[in-house]
Amino acid sequence: MRITSIYSLLISFLIVTNAFTIPQKVLSKRDIGKYTRDEDQNLNSNDFKVDYKQIPGLSKIRDKKSIPEMYAGHISLYNWDTEIEKVPEDYGYFFWRFHDKSLPWDDDDDDDNDDDDEPGTLIFWLNGGPGCSSMDGALVESGPLRIDSNGNAYLNKGSWSSRADMVFVDQPVGTGFSAMKSSDEYKDVPLDDNLNDVAVHFAQFLINFFQVFPQDIKKKIILAGESYAGQYIPFIATTLLDYQNHPELKDNMPAFELTALLIGNGWIDPVTQSLAYLPFAIDNHLVSTDTPGFNDLLNIHESCQKKVNDINTQEDEQFSIQECDNIINKLLAITKTKDENNNDQCLNVYNYELKDSIPECGMNWPADISYVAQFFSNKEVRDALHINEDWAAENWIECRADVMDHMDNKGATPSIHLLPNLLENGLNIVLFNGDKDLICNNKGITDMIQNMKWGGESGFSTSVQNYDWTFRSLDNNQKEEAAGQVMYDRNLTFINVYNASHMVPHDKPLISAGIVDIVLDNVLLESIGKRQILVSSEKPYNEDFFDDDDDDDDDDEKAPTNSDGDDDDERYYYYYYYDHEADYDDDDDDAMLRVDDYDSRKGLIFTIFFVVLFFGIIAIRTADRWWPKFASQFKGAYSRLDNPNKTVTWADEANPQTDFELNDMGDDMDFEIGDTDEDHEQESSRENESDSNSDVSELDIGETSVSPEPAGEQTVLRSP
């Protein structure tokens, strides 16, 4: 996720989307069969099927079932007049779709066995920039594949595709493999210059996408992305809600359920987020009043504030303000240092704990980007992905400067002004942020939330729900790691992810999948005193996500249900921790999450049996000689044995009459928005120091990636 320009860099970024699924009626029901295409453009999913054997590295994987089903290629924009637009007739957005065969809903290709009761979830992922390829997301972040230094693919165990089907789309026009060859024939191809056009074009892509994959119309749709996708996603969602006012869409848009928006480290409110740079840098000890040049930085900050104060109305507001863009440039200038070779280096704006060479300041990170460029240079890969070699760009470039340069958004206002209406229309929005990101930092997002008014109140209200978030491994040790904090109020969720950068899924793959679990209610809710804790793990805490085969094999080990209807021995895997229109009573025990220790007690019985047998044999054989000493050492040891593997959790101590509805838990919480960093510094320090982002100092990127050219003081950054 990058920002393409540090002067203009605050034009980037996206963040997270919502938690706590509430039934949506966001898009009115429309005639699904109403839209049409030209006969020669009628395609089906088989035309886009990807043979995994052509993807280097995947053939070496022994468990073939773990390799996702893949579809890729170019899908045209519906009803786009290519003659007027001066583009090839078959021009389209490049996409890569993944389906994990272990997901609970049936195989997409098996139309006869589609389960109408469980249509599943589909996530569209967009990277930012503007102009950065969503293949960053597919191969470096939330997608099921990662690329090694030899250009070979391997599986990402923390992929979001283990929770939902995923589609990664290169957009807008000119991005990634949605770019055309650099030839005279295509030199006049128009690029989008405003976000309204971006939104309409993506909606046109969706119309034809659902024609190719009609089974996806039934799924719950989530729009997700990061960085500048914080602009893309709200504009796209607004266009989908208001499709009837767009001639290109109104007669052809199929009905589908738009459930949530997930925006990670998003660039949403340029002014507020720019004004957060200095206080965030001070809070995190990046600068102080003793730092040389601090007064100059303070003066630039004040110039930005004065310019903002002079803007009286929303109509007068500029999309971005140069005086505010200058803050981050000055901050980088006064914090530069020397490396061991006496070369100048600056903060990595995507992870302030790292350094990078000047003027890149993060553009050389992470190293995986260069591996992706190498991967896409493989002709066999391009053939497997059905990349149209007649007009598609010869080389994959992560972030294209020409797309960013065209996106001036003259006369437009930032997406922050669209969020209140989306929230009030019942759409869930989740903003998730890595706490080590500088460019789209936590303070900028929390300040933005506090200034935003929706549902009749500004910011999070006194009834805001606060949760600690813990990741619990599924191994025998049940190791726990503090993952972050979650705040929820009036359809808006903010998730602070500990020890993560601008690219949360890259740094914390297993933990980041918990963001999707939160959205889909596949987490545990535990209570320790007044603390409410959400628990995620490698697998979703939802019985529907466990393999059917495993369930069949273990039928004889499932906890029984008493004949009188008492289900105290039944295992519950999840709990709806907000008003989800569930059909239980508030005082019903079924409304409480309970993890029964039936299996543990059964294991304990066998353990005791073998322990007693073992010591019994020893006692018989050595009774005469060793019994007195033996008895003295173990006297009373077996008077009562507790389960040695049992973990004390909220389930052991929770009051069965406790009501966990959201509106009843907020008043006693001490959490403040401004406390998301320092208050949890001690917990965050327990994060795994071996994570991929913790020991990187200087990284090299491939030659095919964009190299920013300095223009005066201006630095161009990519914003995936």
Side-chain angles (χ1 to χ4, degrees):
M1 321 206 142
R2 294 354 161 113
I3 282 188
T4 35
S5 133
I6 267 194
Y7 266 172
S8 178
L9 124 140
L10 301 150
I11 298 182
S12 308
F13 295 16
L14 130 129
I15 166 182
V16 68
T17 159
N18 120 337
F20 322 97
T21 309
I22 298 176
Q24 302 294 325
K25 294 182 180 178
V26 177
L27 294 177
S28 59
K29 296 300 178 182
R30 308 183 285 279
D31 183 357
I32 293 180
K34 201 170 183 178
Y35 61 99
T36 60
R37 299 176 64 184
D38 295 337
E39 288 299 323
D40 60 347
Q41 292 185 354
N42 280 332
L43 300 172
N44 60 57
S45 59
N46 289 331
D47 297 307
F48 298 94
K49 188 86 172 184
V50 175
D51 182 359
Y52 77 85
K53 296 176 183 177
Q54 292 182 263
I55 305 299
L58 295 189
S59 295
K60 298 178 182 178
I61 297 174
R62 292 183 179 180
D63 181 10
K64 303 306 180 186
K65 292 183 179 179
S66 65
I67 301 173
E69 290 180 350
M70 296 177 285
Y71 302 84
H74 295 95
I75 289 182
S76 62
L77 311 188
Y78 179 81
N79 204 29
W80 193 16
D81 192 332
T82 57
E83 196 171 307
I84 294 177
E85 300 294 347
K86 301 179 181 178
V87 299
E89 290 186 2
D90 58 350
Y91 172 80
Y93 282 170
F94 178 74
F95 77 98
W96 197 345
R97 181 183 182 276
F98 297 92
H99 170 69
D100 188 326
K101 288 171 279 191
S102 69
L103 288 170
W105 47 92
D106 289 338
D107 191 322
D108 291 334
D109 287 336
D110 191 354
D111 296 333
D112 294 334
N113 292 324
D114 281 346
D115 185 355
D116 293 333
D117 295 331
E118 184 58 57
T121 301
L122 179 66
I123 299 175
F124 287 93
W125 175 279
L126 309 177
N127 277 88
C132 292
S133 171
S134 294
M135 297 307 106
D136 272 359
L139 301 177
V140 180
E141 300 183 75
S142 59
L145 303 182
R146 294 285 178 91
I147 308 301
D148 65 21
S149 58
N150 295 317
N152 294 319
Y154 63 95
L155 296 179
N156 170 21
K157 293 182 180 179
S159 172
W160 291 15
S161 65
S162 63
R163 272 60 172 176
D165 292 331
M166 296 195 74
V167 181
F168 298 84
V169 185
D170 275 345
Q171 64 84 54
V173 178
T175 300
F177 284 122
S178 297
M180 278 155 276
K181 290 180 177 179
S182 53
S183 64
D184 291 341
E185 184 179 0
Y186 304 124
K187 67 179 181 180
D188 296 325
V189 171
L191 301 176
D192 292 339
D193 57 12
N194 67 81
L195 287 160
N196 290 314
D197 286 346
V198 171
V200 169
H201 287 156
F202 188 82
Q204 289 178 309
F205 164 80
L206 284 182
I207 292 174
N208 283 348
F209 177 88
F210 287 128
Q211 174 96 6
V212 176
F213 300 98
Q215 69 275 17
D216 284 343
I217 297 176
K218 298 181 294 183
K219 290 182 170 66
K220 296 176 181 179
I221 304 300
I222 294 176
L223 300 180
E226 70 184 17
S227 193
Y228 200 80
Q231 296 296 329
Y232 293 153
I233 290 175
F235 271 88
I236 291 171
T238 299
T239 297
L240 295 177
L241 289 174
D242 196 33
Y243 76 97
Q244 291 179 328
N245 291 324
H246 295 275
E248 313 94 324
L249 309 175
K250 65 178 183 179
D251 295 328
N252 301 287
M253 182 63 67
F256 57 87
E257 182 182 1
L258 181 59
T259 302
L261 310 181
L262 282 173
I263 303 174
N265 291 78
W267 187 245
I268 302 171
D269 184 353
V271 168
T272 301
Q273 291 181 256
S274 295
L275 286 170
Y277 285 135
L278 180 54
F280 181 83
I282 294 173
D283 290 345
N284 289 278
H285 311 294
L286 302 179
V287 296
S288 68
T289 55
D290 296 330
T291 302
F294 180 85
N295 288 336
D296 293 336
L297 176 61
L298 182 60
N299 289 336
I300 293 174
H301 178 91
E302 291 173 346
S303 297
C304 169
Q305 185 65 70
K306 183 177 183 303
K307 182 72 173 180
V308 172
N309 294 341
D310 291 339
I311 298 175
N312 296 320
T313 65
Q314 180 176 327
E315 288 72 23
D316 295 332
E317 182 177 356
Q318 303 172 32
F319 192 89
S320 62
I321 299 172
Q322 186 61 54
E323 289 83 351
C324 298
D325 293 347
N326 291 338
I327 298 174
I328 187 68
N329 297 309
K330 190 62 179 180
L331 175 61
L332 294 177
I334 70 172
T335 55
K336 69 179 181 180
T337 56
K338 299 284 187 181
D339 63 16
E340 62 275 10
N341 297 319
N342 204 36
N343 297 317
D344 286 338
Q345 58 179 189
C346 53
L347 293 172
N348 180 334
V349 295
Y350 309 115
N351 184 341
Y352 66 75
E353 292 187 331
L354 305 179
K355 300 284 188 178
D356 197 4
S357 58
I358 295 177
E360 283 76 14
C361 300
M363 287 293 295
N364 288 334
W365 176 89
D368 308 48
I369 301 299
S370 63
Y371 308 157
V372 173
Q374 178 184 356
F375 173 78
F376 282 126
S377 68
N378 186 322
K379 187 180 185 306
E380 191 172 11
V381 169
R382 294 166 66 95
D383 290 343
L385 300 179
H386 309 292
I387 294 172
N388 191 323
E389 301 292 359
D390 291 338
W391 53 261
E394 298 92 337
N395 299 313
W396 180 82
I397 297 177
E398 185 199 17
C399 299
R400 293 184 177 270
D402 55 347
V403 177
M404 187 270 297
D405 292 340
H406 276 79
M407 195 73 64
D408 53 29
N409 291 309
K410 290 181 180 178
T413 55
S415 63
I416 180 61
H417 300 295
L418 303 178
L419 295 189
N421 183 61
L422 294 172
L423 291 166
E424 290 167 356
N425 270 279
L427 190 62
N428 288 302
I429 299 178
V430 178
L431 308 177
F432 64 94
N433 254 60
D435 63 359
K436 303 306 178 186
D437 184 20
L438 173 60
I439 198 70
C440 294
N441 59 66
N442 275 347
K443 180 169 177 53
I445 295 296
T446 53
D447 286 352
M448 176 195 78
I449 292 172
Q450 200 64 16
N451 295 336
M452 183 173 65
K453 184 175 182 179
W454 79 100
E457 296 186 67
S458 294
F460 284 133
S461 68
T462 55
S463 61
V464 62
Q465 303 308 305
N466 299 282
Y467 304 88
D468 293 327
W469 173 25
T470 295
F471 175 81
R472 182 177 297 159
S473 65
L474 291 177
D475 59 24
N476 293 331
N477 295 325
Q478 293 283 294
K479 180 180 178 183
E480 293 191 355
E481 181 179 0
Q485 289 175 316
V486 180
M487 303 176 68
Y488 171 77
D489 191 21
R490 308 186 328 272
N491 294 339
L492 179 64
T493 302
F494 172 69
I495 303 177
N496 175 28
V497 186
Y498 294 154
N499 290 328
S501 71
H502 186 71
M503 306 172 79
V504 173
H506 171 268
D507 301 335
K508 302 286 184 180
L510 287 173
I511 286 177
S512 76
I515 295 171
V516 182
D517 289 334
I518 290 173
V519 175
L520 300 178
D521 303 322
N522 294 329
V523 293
L524 297 179
L525 174 66
E526 298 183 349
S527 177
I528 301 179
K530 293 183 178 180
R531 293 176 58 205
Q532 303 298 315
I533 302 173
L534 299 181
V535 182
S536 64
S537 191
E538 293 100 318
K539 265 193 171 184
Y541 282 107
N542 184 327
E543 58 188 353
D544 292 337
F545 272 81
F546 287 84
D547 293 336
D548 293 337
D549 292 338
D550 293 341
D551 290 342
D552 295 339
D553 293 339
D554 297 333
D555 280 346
D556 58 338
E557 298 183 5
K558 288 186 177 179
T561 300
N562 295 339
S563 58
D564 60 1
D566 181 7
D567 57 358
D568 282 345
D569 288 328
E570 184 176 347
R571 179 179 298 279
Y572 286 78
Y573 294 96
Y574 65 100
Y575 170 76
Y576 291 111
Y577 45 85
Y578 65 95
D579 183 8
H580 192 45
E581 299 182 2
D583 57 358
Y584 54 73
D585 297 327
D586 291 342
D587 59 350
D588 190 341
D589 285 346
D590 288 355
M592 302 293 297
L593 170 69
R594 292 162 298 155
V595 180
D596 168 23
D597 65 348
Y598 173 78
D599 292 336
S600 298
R601 286 188 282 111
K602 186 172 68 174
L604 179 60
I605 293 172
F606 282 98
T607 300
I608 293 174
F609 173 78
F610 285 110
V611 168
V612 171
L613 179 63
F614 174 79
F615 283 106
I617 294 172
I618 294 177
I620 292 172
R621 297 183 63 177
T622 61
D624 291 340
R625 182 175 180 181
W626 296 104
W627 175 249
K629 183 181 296 187
F630 182 84
S632 66
Q633 294 295 322
F634 290 89
K635 183 177 181 181
Y638 293 99
S639 61
R640 181 179 183 273
L641 279 182
D642 291 327
N643 180 359
N645 295 321
K646 184 171 177 58
T647 301
V648 177
T649 69
W650 74 274
D652 302 311
E653 301 174 352
N655 181 352
Q657 303 303 317
T658 302
D659 183 356
F660 283 102
E661 289 192 4
L662 285 180
N663 293 333
D664 298 332
M665 293 189 294
D667 296 340
D668 297 329
M669 310 306 284
D670 297 326
F671 181 84
E672 297 291 339
I673 287 181
D675 296 337
T676 55
D677 297 305
E678 293 181 348
D679 288 354
H680 296 268
E681 181 177 356
Q682 186 173 4
E683 280 188 282
S684 300
S685 66
R686 299 198 302 265
E687 289 284 315
N688 188 340
E689 295 181 359
S690 65
D691 277 348
S692 60
N693 66 324
S694 62
D695 55 1
V696 180
S697 56
E698 293 185 49
L699 298 169
D700 189 26
I701 197 165
E703 297 178 357
T704 57
S705 297
V706 174
S707 297
E709 296 292 336
E713 283 188 304
Q714 182 169 349
T715 302
V716 178
L717 293 180
R718 72 182 186 279
S719 164

